[in-house]
Amino acid sequence: MNHLMKRIFSLSALLLSACLLLSACGGSAGTNDPANGASAASSAAPSPSAPADSPAPTEERIASLSIHLTNHLLALGLKPVGSAIGGDVKDFLPHVKDQLEGVEKLGVAAEPDLEAVLALKPDRIFIDVQQTAADQPRLEPIAPVVAIDLDQGTWRDHLRLVAKETGREPQAETFIADYEKQAAETSELIKSKLGADAKVMAIRMTAKELRVMGMARPVGPLLYEDLALKPADGVENIGKAYEVISQEVLDDFDADAILVIISKGSEAKKNFELLESNPLWAGLKAVKNGHVYVLDGQKWLDYSSLGHKMALDDAQKLFGS
């Protein structure tokens, strides 16, 4: 009897060991099962030595209360969850509207829709201090505010500030380098069409007035610095964005080429058609030589990185044909 009991105890111990061994193997197989891998990965802490091709973290939710800051974000490959709209068009600007599909409209910069901003639950809110500073105290309880003064510095400076805030400095430098290369190529293209010493001016027809665009932004630096074109006589003395003129003085500028921006709306278009029918217009050197070019105005008036890049695209299309 004692001998039989010893054999039973030995057999039981053997069976117990086998069960433990199978259980351990089963546990290992479970952790390697693809069906269980997602659960295991989601609960594990991220490794500081993760491989370079690991998925990037989810982009933060950015609300932009400036159309120009929105376009800087787009230039860096970032799409905000909400954006300000253009005051004139009451919508996203036409030249970038297709890139903002699914983005919430947050009102114009000077009067943002704070309820819409709150509903988005953004991680951060980007504002232009010149336009939205009065609303900053009401925005700060919603999310941290990044305030950038777009009146200070150039669009390159603004792009770099946005890039620094979003960790996209390399993308900003690549964008700027590509832009400089395209600007040099576009400059040569224009000069090959007009002549190296051609004098250029840009005018804008609105519903109420005729403007000569000056040396200041948005158009001046693009034409006379980036594209290195020569300003028509007297343009160099217009140190602001534009100067209102009468049709009678157009000939005084002695421009070899005239770039035309027509504001939105039927009145501006009608006014330009009236100008074209004026004998004074027909007598201009640029008109007689066929060097009048109607620009895609929204792109040229958009003082942002993306707007400038699109303006170069427009110039290449116009002067490359």
PDB file of all heavy atoms in Angstrom, residues 48-78:
ATOM      1  N   PRO A  48      12.227  54.410 -25.583  1.00  0.00           N
ATOM      2  CA  PRO A  48      13.008  55.555 -26.033  1.00  0.00           C
ATOM      3  C   PRO A  48      13.910  55.212 -27.200  1.00  0.00           C
ATOM      4  O   PRO A  48      14.416  56.092 -27.867  1.00  0.00           O
ATOM      5  CB  PRO A  48      13.821  55.942 -24.786  1.00  0.00           C
ATOM      6  CG  PRO A  48      13.894  54.676 -23.981  1.00  0.00           C
ATOM      7  CD  PRO A  48      12.606  53.977 -24.241  1.00  0.00           C
ATOM      8  N   SER A  49      14.129  53.949 -27.451  1.00  0.00           N
ATOM      9  CA  SER A  49      15.007  53.558 -28.548  1.00  0.00           C
ATOM     10  C   SER A  49      14.201  52.962 -29.694  1.00  0.00           C
ATOM     11  O   SER A  49      14.629  52.033 -30.354  1.00  0.00           O
ATOM     12  CB  SER A  49      16.037  52.528 -28.061  1.00  0.00           C
ATOM     13  OG  SER A  49      15.384  51.391 -27.509  1.00  0.00           O
ATOM     14  N   ALA A  50      12.968  53.521 -29.919  1.00  0.00           N
ATOM     15  CA  ALA A  50      12.115  53.026 -30.989  1.00  0.00           C
ATOM     16  C   ALA A  50      12.786  53.257 -32.327  1.00  0.00           C
ATOM     17  O   ALA A  50      13.488  54.243 -32.505  1.00  0.00           O
ATOM     18  CB  ALA A  50      10.764  53.745 -30.962  1.00  0.00           C
ATOM     19  N   PRO A  51      12.600  52.357 -33.290  1.00  0.00           N
ATOM     20  CA  PRO A  51      13.228  52.517 -34.588  1.00  0.00           C
ATOM     21  C   PRO A  51      12.750  53.760 -35.311  1.00  0.00           C
ATOM     22  O   PRO A  51      11.665  54.274 -35.039  1.00  0.00           O
ATOM     23  CB  PRO A  51      12.818  51.250 -35.339  1.00  0.00           C
ATOM     24  CG  PRO A  51      11.609  50.735 -34.623  1.00  0.00           C
ATOM     25  CD  PRO A  51      11.803  51.129 -33.197  1.00  0.00           C
ATOM     26  N   ALA A  52      13.548  54.250 -36.288  1.00  0.00           N
ATOM     27  CA  ALA A  52      13.251  55.505 -36.966  1.00  0.00           C
ATOM     28  C   ALA A  52      11.960  55.449 -37.757  1.00  0.00           C
ATOM     29  O   ALA A  52      11.328  56.465 -38.005  1.00  0.00           O
ATOM     30  CB  ALA A  52      14.417  55.870 -37.895  1.00  0.00           C
ATOM     31  N   ASP A  53      11.555  54.238 -38.187  1.00  0.00           N
ATOM     32  CA  ASP A  53      10.360  54.139 -38.996  1.00  0.00           C
ATOM     33  C   ASP A  53       9.106  53.901 -38.169  1.00  0.00           C
ATOM     34  O   ASP A  53       8.059  53.534 -38.695  1.00  0.00           O
ATOM     35  CB  ASP A  53      10.511  53.033 -40.049  1.00  0.00           C
ATOM     36  CG  ASP A  53      10.784  51.660 -39.406  1.00  0.00           C
ATOM     37  OD1 ASP A  53      10.980  51.619 -38.181  1.00  0.00           O
ATOM     38  OD2 ASP A  53      10.795  50.660 -40.147  1.00  0.00           O
ATOM     39  N   SER A  54       9.190  54.111 -36.867  1.00  0.00           N
ATOM     40  CA  SER A  54       8.006  53.976 -36.025  1.00  0.00           C
ATOM     41  C   SER A  54       6.999  55.051 -36.393  1.00  0.00           C
ATOM     42  O   SER A  54       7.375  56.153 -36.798  1.00  0.00           O
ATOM     43  CB  SER A  54       8.379  54.125 -34.549  1.00  0.00           C
ATOM     44  OG  SER A  54       9.190  53.045 -34.144  1.00  0.00           O
ATOM     45  N   PRO A  55       5.696  54.782 -36.277  1.00  0.00           N
ATOM     46  CA  PRO A  55       4.695  55.794 -36.618  1.00  0.00           C
ATOM     47  C   PRO A  55       4.881  57.053 -35.793  1.00  0.00           C
ATOM     48  O   PRO A  55       5.187  56.997 -34.600  1.00  0.00           O
ATOM     49  CB  PRO A  55       3.362  55.099 -36.276  1.00  0.00           C
ATOM     50  CG  PRO A  55       3.678  53.632 -36.303  1.00  0.00           C
ATOM     51  CD  PRO A  55       5.098  53.520 -35.839  1.00  0.00           C
ATOM     52  N   ALA A  56       4.695  58.220 -36.440  1.00  0.00           N
ATOM     53  CA  ALA A  56       4.814  59.492 -35.735  1.00  0.00           C
ATOM     54  C   ALA A  56       3.612  59.679 -34.823  1.00  0.00           C
ATOM     55  O   ALA A  56       2.535  59.134 -35.077  1.00  0.00           O
ATOM     56  CB  ALA A  56       4.886  60.631 -36.740  1.00  0.00           C
ATOM     57  N   PRO A  57       3.769  60.444 -33.756  1.00  0.00           N
ATOM     58  CA  PRO A  57       2.631  60.706 -32.876  1.00  0.00           C
ATOM     59  C   PRO A  57       1.553  61.502 -33.607  1.00  0.00           C
ATOM     60  O   PRO A  57       1.832  62.202 -34.575  1.00  0.00           O
ATOM     61  CB  PRO A  57       3.264  61.524 -31.736  1.00  0.00           C
ATOM     62  CG  PRO A  57       4.505  62.117 -32.331  1.00  0.00           C
ATOM     63  CD  PRO A  57       5.002  61.097 -33.301  1.00  0.00           C
ATOM     64  N   THR A  58       0.334  61.388 -33.151  1.00  0.00           N
ATOM     65  CA  THR A  58      -0.767  62.106 -33.765  1.00  0.00           C
ATOM     66  C   THR A  58      -0.520  63.607 -33.698  1.00  0.00           C
ATOM     67  O   THR A  58      -0.101  64.129 -32.660  1.00  0.00           O
ATOM     68  CB  THR A  58      -2.084  61.770 -33.049  1.00  0.00           C
ATOM     69  OG1 THR A  58      -2.269  60.355 -33.091  1.00  0.00           O
ATOM     70  CG2 THR A  58      -3.250  62.468 -33.710  1.00  0.00           C
ATOM     71  N   GLU A  59      -0.781  64.326 -34.819  1.00  0.00           N
ATOM     72  CA  GLU A  59      -0.578  65.771 -34.841  1.00  0.00           C
ATOM     73  C   GLU A  59      -1.525  66.449 -33.855  1.00  0.00           C
ATOM     74  O   GLU A  59      -2.678  66.034 -33.697  1.00  0.00           O
ATOM     75  CB  GLU A  59      -0.830  66.310 -36.249  1.00  0.00           C
ATOM     76  CG  GLU A  59       0.118  65.772 -37.313  1.00  0.00           C
ATOM     77  CD  GLU A  59       1.526  66.295 -37.165  1.00  0.00           C
ATOM     78  OE1 GLU A  59       1.765  67.144 -36.276  1.00  0.00           O
ATOM     79  OE2 GLU A  59       2.405  65.847 -37.925  1.00  0.00           O
ATOM     80  N   GLU A  60      -1.047  67.511 -33.233  1.00  0.00           N
ATOM     81  CA  GLU A  60      -1.902  68.230 -32.303  1.00  0.00           C
ATOM     82  C   GLU A  60      -2.995  68.976 -33.058  1.00  0.00           C
ATOM     83  O   GLU A  60      -2.884  69.281 -34.243  1.00  0.00           O
ATOM     84  CB  GLU A  60      -1.068  69.211 -31.482  1.00  0.00           C
ATOM     85  CG  GLU A  60      -0.440  70.344 -32.280  1.00  0.00           C
ATOM     86  CD  GLU A  60       0.304  71.317 -31.391  1.00  0.00           C
ATOM     87  OE1 GLU A  60      -0.028  71.409 -30.204  1.00  0.00           O
ATOM     88  OE2 GLU A  60       1.219  71.983 -31.899  1.00  0.00           O
ATOM     89  N   ARG A  61      -4.050  69.271 -32.348  1.00  0.00           N
ATOM     90  CA  ARG A  61      -5.200  69.970 -32.915  1.00  0.00           C
ATOM     91  C   ARG A  61      -4.954  71.470 -32.802  1.00  0.00           C
ATOM     92  O   ARG A  61      -4.954  72.030 -31.703  1.00  0.00           O
ATOM     93  CB  ARG A  61      -6.480  69.565 -32.187  1.00  0.00           C
ATOM     94  CG  ARG A  61      -6.832  68.095 -32.363  1.00  0.00           C
ATOM     95  CD  ARG A  61      -7.998  67.682 -31.462  1.00  0.00           C
ATOM     96  NE  ARG A  61      -9.189  68.457 -31.708  1.00  0.00           N
ATOM     97  CZ  ARG A  61     -10.051  68.227 -32.702  1.00  0.00           C
ATOM     98  NH1 ARG A  61      -9.829  67.224 -33.542  1.00  0.00           N
ATOM     99  NH2 ARG A  61     -11.125  68.980 -32.861  1.00  0.00           N
ATOM    100  N   ILE A  62      -4.743  72.110 -33.947  1.00  0.00           N
ATOM    101  CA  ILE A  62      -4.429  73.537 -33.979  1.00  0.00           C
ATOM    102  C   ILE A  62      -5.605  74.303 -34.558  1.00  0.00           C
ATOM    103  O   ILE A  62      -6.127  73.956 -35.615  1.00  0.00           O
ATOM    104  CB  ILE A  62      -3.167  73.818 -34.815  1.00  0.00           C
ATOM    105  CG1 ILE A  62      -1.934  73.195 -34.152  1.00  0.00           C
ATOM    106  CG2 ILE A  62      -2.963  75.326 -35.002  1.00  0.00           C
ATOM    107  CD1 ILE A  62      -0.666  73.325 -34.976  1.00  0.00           C
ATOM    108  N   ALA A  63      -6.012  75.352 -33.858  1.00  0.00           N
ATOM    109  CA  ALA A  63      -6.997  76.294 -34.380  1.00  0.00           C
ATOM    110  C   ALA A  63      -6.235  77.553 -34.788  1.00  0.00           C
ATOM    111  O   ALA A  63      -5.493  78.124 -33.984  1.00  0.00           O
ATOM    112  CB  ALA A  63      -8.045  76.626 -33.324  1.00  0.00           C
ATOM    113  N   SER A  64      -6.400  77.984 -36.017  1.00  0.00           N
ATOM    114  CA  SER A  64      -5.699  79.170 -36.524  1.00  0.00           C
ATOM    115  C   SER A  64      -6.700  80.296 -36.739  1.00  0.00           C
ATOM    116  O   SER A  64      -7.657  80.151 -37.502  1.00  0.00           O
ATOM    117  CB  SER A  64      -4.988  78.845 -37.838  1.00  0.00           C
ATOM    118  OG  SER A  64      -4.510  80.041 -38.441  1.00  0.00           O
ATOM    119  N   LEU A  65      -6.450  81.420 -36.086  1.00  0.00           N
ATOM    120  CA  LEU A  65      -7.339  82.574 -36.218  1.00  0.00           C
ATOM    121  C   LEU A  65      -6.720  83.643 -37.103  1.00  0.00           C
ATOM    122  O   LEU A  65      -6.956  84.838 -36.924  1.00  0.00           O
ATOM    123  CB  LEU A  65      -7.684  83.132 -34.835  1.00  0.00           C
ATOM    124  CG  LEU A  65      -8.449  82.173 -33.929  1.00  0.00           C
ATOM    125  CD1 LEU A  65      -8.848  82.851 -32.631  1.00  0.00           C
ATOM    126  CD2 LEU A  65      -9.684  81.629 -34.639  1.00  0.00           C
ATOM    127  N   SER A  66      -5.932  83.204 -38.075  1.00  0.00           N
ATOM    128  CA  SER A  66      -5.350  84.106 -39.074  1.00  0.00           C
ATOM    129  C   SER A  66      -5.259  83.353 -40.386  1.00  0.00           C
ATOM    130  O   SER A  66      -4.733  82.235 -40.436  1.00  0.00           O
ATOM    131  CB  SER A  66      -3.955  84.572 -38.645  1.00  0.00           C
ATOM    132  OG  SER A  66      -3.220  85.078 -39.754  1.00  0.00           O
ATOM    133  N   ILE A  67      -5.756  83.946 -41.470  1.00  0.00           N
ATOM    134  CA  ILE A  67      -5.677  83.278 -42.763  1.00  0.00           C
ATOM    135  C   ILE A  67      -4.225  83.085 -43.178  1.00  0.00           C
ATOM    136  O   ILE A  67      -3.882  82.104 -43.840  1.00  0.00           O
ATOM    137  CB  ILE A  67      -6.455  84.052 -43.848  1.00  0.00           C
ATOM    138  CG1 ILE A  67      -5.963  85.505 -43.951  1.00  0.00           C
ATOM    139  CG2 ILE A  67      -7.954  84.002 -43.576  1.00  0.00           C
ATOM    140  CD1 ILE A  67      -6.626  86.289 -45.066  1.00  0.00           C
ATOM    141  N   HIS A  68      -3.357  84.009 -42.786  1.00  0.00           N
ATOM    142  CA  HIS A  68      -1.954  83.894 -43.164  1.00  0.00           C
ATOM    143  C   HIS A  68      -1.244  82.804 -42.354  1.00  0.00           C
ATOM    144  O   HIS A  68      -0.433  82.042 -42.899  1.00  0.00           O
ATOM    145  CB  HIS A  68      -1.244  85.241 -42.993  1.00  0.00           C
ATOM    146  CG  HIS A  68      -1.869  86.334 -43.820  1.00  0.00           C
ATOM    147  ND1 HIS A  68      -1.973  86.257 -45.181  1.00  0.00           N
ATOM    148  CD2 HIS A  68      -2.438  87.504 -43.466  1.00  0.00           C
ATOM    149  CE1 HIS A  68      -2.573  87.348 -45.643  1.00  0.00           C
ATOM    150  NE2 HIS A  68      -2.863  88.111 -44.615  1.00  0.00           N
ATOM    151  N   LEU A  69      -1.547  82.712 -41.067  1.00  0.00           N
ATOM    152  CA  LEU A  69      -0.965  81.639 -40.263  1.00  0.00           C
ATOM    153  C   LEU A  69      -1.472  80.285 -40.738  1.00  0.00           C
ATOM    154  O   LEU A  69      -0.725  79.299 -40.738  1.00  0.00           O
ATOM    155  CB  LEU A  69      -1.299  81.854 -38.783  1.00  0.00           C
ATOM    156  CG  LEU A  69      -0.591  83.039 -38.114  1.00  0.00           C
ATOM    157  CD1 LEU A  69      -1.074  83.203 -36.672  1.00  0.00           C
ATOM    158  CD2 LEU A  69       0.918  82.870 -38.148  1.00  0.00           C
ATOM    159  N   THR A  70      -2.730  80.230 -41.149  1.00  0.00           N
ATOM    160  CA  THR A  70      -3.261  78.988 -41.723  1.00  0.00           C
ATOM    161  C   THR A  70      -2.430  78.570 -42.929  1.00  0.00           C
ATOM    162  O   THR A  70      -2.061  77.395 -43.077  1.00  0.00           O
ATOM    163  CB  THR A  70      -4.727  79.169 -42.142  1.00  0.00           C
ATOM    164  OG1 THR A  70      -5.525  79.350 -40.967  1.00  0.00           O
ATOM    165  CG2 THR A  70      -5.233  77.960 -42.915  1.00  0.00           C
ATOM    166  N   ASN A  71      -2.096  79.525 -43.787  1.00  0.00           N
ATOM    167  CA  ASN A  71      -1.340  79.196 -44.992  1.00  0.00           C
ATOM    168  C   ASN A  71       0.102  78.822 -44.684  1.00  0.00           C
ATOM    169  O   ASN A  71       0.714  78.026 -45.407  1.00  0.00           O
ATOM    170  CB  ASN A  71      -1.415  80.348 -45.981  1.00  0.00           C
ATOM    171  CG  ASN A  71      -2.817  80.508 -46.548  1.00  0.00           C
ATOM    172  OD1 ASN A  71      -3.670  79.653 -46.348  1.00  0.00           O
ATOM    173  ND2 ASN A  71      -3.062  81.593 -47.250  1.00  0.00           N
ATOM    174  N   HIS A  72       0.659  79.373 -43.607  1.00  0.00           N
ATOM    175  CA  HIS A  72       1.989  78.919 -43.171  1.00  0.00           C
ATOM    176  C   HIS A  72       1.922  77.473 -42.686  1.00  0.00           C
ATOM    177  O   HIS A  72       2.814  76.671 -42.959  1.00  0.00           O
ATOM    178  CB  HIS A  72       2.522  79.827 -42.060  1.00  0.00           C
ATOM    179  CG  HIS A  72       2.944  81.186 -42.534  1.00  0.00           C
ATOM    180  ND1 HIS A  72       3.791  81.370 -43.599  1.00  0.00           N
ATOM    181  CD2 HIS A  72       2.630  82.429 -42.089  1.00  0.00           C
ATOM    182  CE1 HIS A  72       3.987  82.671 -43.786  1.00  0.00           C
ATOM    183  NE2 HIS A  72       3.288  83.323 -42.884  1.00  0.00           N
ATOM    184  N   LEU A  73       0.877  77.145 -41.952  1.00  0.00           N
ATOM    185  CA  LEU A  73       0.703  75.770 -41.482  1.00  0.00           C
ATOM    186  C   LEU A  73       0.594  74.813 -42.669  1.00  0.00           C
ATOM    187  O   LEU A  73       1.225  73.749 -42.691  1.00  0.00           O
ATOM    188  CB  LEU A  73      -0.537  75.665 -40.603  1.00  0.00           C
ATOM    189  CG  LEU A  73      -0.450  76.320 -39.214  1.00  0.00           C
ATOM    190  CD1 LEU A  73      -1.841  76.451 -38.602  1.00  0.00           C
ATOM    191  CD2 LEU A  73       0.460  75.521 -38.297  1.00  0.00           C
ATOM    192  N   LEU A  74      -0.189  75.193 -43.662  1.00  0.00           N
ATOM    193  CA  LEU A  74      -0.345  74.358 -44.853  1.00  0.00           C
ATOM    194  C   LEU A  74       0.978  74.182 -45.583  1.00  0.00           C
ATOM    195  O   LEU A  74       1.280  73.095 -46.086  1.00  0.00           O
ATOM    196  CB  LEU A  74      -1.390  74.963 -45.792  1.00  0.00           C
ATOM    197  CG  LEU A  74      -2.841  74.971 -45.302  1.00  0.00           C
ATOM    198  CD1 LEU A  74      -3.739  75.717 -46.285  1.00  0.00           C
ATOM    199  CD2 LEU A  74      -3.355  73.555 -45.085  1.00  0.00           C
ATOM    200  N   ALA A  75       1.772  75.249 -45.629  1.00  0.00           N
ATOM    201  CA  ALA A  75       3.074  75.169 -46.290  1.00  0.00           C
ATOM    202  C   ALA A  75       3.995  74.178 -45.590  1.00  0.00           C
ATOM    203  O   ALA A  75       4.872  73.582 -46.222  1.00  0.00           O
ATOM    204  CB  ALA A  75       3.730  76.550 -46.334  1.00  0.00           C
ATOM    205  N   LEU A  76       3.776  73.984 -44.296  1.00  0.00           N
ATOM    206  CA  LEU A  76       4.580  73.040 -43.518  1.00  0.00           C
ATOM    207  C   LEU A  76       3.974  71.642 -43.492  1.00  0.00           C
ATOM    208  O   LEU A  76       4.479  70.751 -42.808  1.00  0.00           O
ATOM    209  CB  LEU A  76       4.726  73.558 -42.079  1.00  0.00           C
ATOM    210  CG  LEU A  76       5.508  74.869 -41.923  1.00  0.00           C
ATOM    211  CD1 LEU A  76       5.391  75.385 -40.496  1.00  0.00           C
ATOM    212  CD2 LEU A  76       6.969  74.676 -42.304  1.00  0.00           C
ATOM    213  N   GLY A  77       2.890  71.463 -44.229  1.00  0.00           N
ATOM    214  CA  GLY A  77       2.251  70.147 -44.260  1.00  0.00           C
ATOM    215  C   GLY A  77       1.318  69.890 -43.103  1.00  0.00           C
ATOM    216  O   GLY A  77       1.003  68.741 -42.797  1.00  0.00           O
ATOM    217  N   LEU A  78       0.858  70.954 -42.437  1.00  0.00           N
ATOM    218  CA  LEU A  78      -0.034  70.822 -41.284  1.00  0.00           C
ATOM    219  C   LEU A  78      -1.403  71.394 -41.630  1.00  0.00           C
ATOM    220  O   LEU A  78      -1.507  72.501 -42.164  1.00  0.00           O
ATOM    221  CB  LEU A  78       0.538  71.564 -40.072  1.00  0.00           C
ATOM    222  CG  LEU A  78       1.864  71.037 -39.524  1.00  0.00           C
ATOM    223  CD1 LEU A  78       2.419  71.999 -38.480  1.00  0.00           C
ATOM    224  CD2 LEU A  78       1.679  69.661 -38.918  1.00  0.00           C
TER     225      LEU A  78
END
